[in-house]
Amino acid sequence: AAKAGDLELVQTLYSQNANLLLYKGQGTNYAFTGHSALHWAAAKGNIEVCSWLLSKGANVHLTNNAGRH
């Protein structure tokens, strides 16, 4: 949802599980990257999603599997 820029879906997922902010794709085809929702939103230029995630406390220091923030 963050990768696609779907803020409404991101908000829905977050309301169901606030651990979304720490989720890094475990159990999906994207697990190899270790990207968080914030990584995906930023990489795809989804500023509205980035802003919302940050307002909810997304950790800008969370690293992906390549050790990148």
Side-chain angles (χ1 to χ4, degrees):
K3 182 179 178 183
D6 188 338
L7 179 58
E8 186 175 325
L9 182 54
V10 170
Q11 291 169 331
T12 298
L13 293 169
Y14 178 81
S15 72
Q16 295 171 357
N17 186 349
N19 286 328
L20 170 73
L21 298 180
L22 300 174
Y23 179 71
K24 295 179 12 173
Q26 302 91 324
T28 72
N29 292 337
Y30 297 110
F32 72 95
T33 66
H35 282 1
S36 67
L38 184 58
H39 285 115
W40 281 117
K44 296 299 181 177
N46 297 318
I47 303 304
E48 186 178 26
V49 174
C50 285
S51 295
W52 188 85
L53 290 167
L54 290 169
S55 77
K56 294 299 179 187
N59 182 353
V60 297
H61 300 290
L62 189 64
T63 57
N64 63 15
N65 291 344
R68 306 255 189 229
H69 294 145

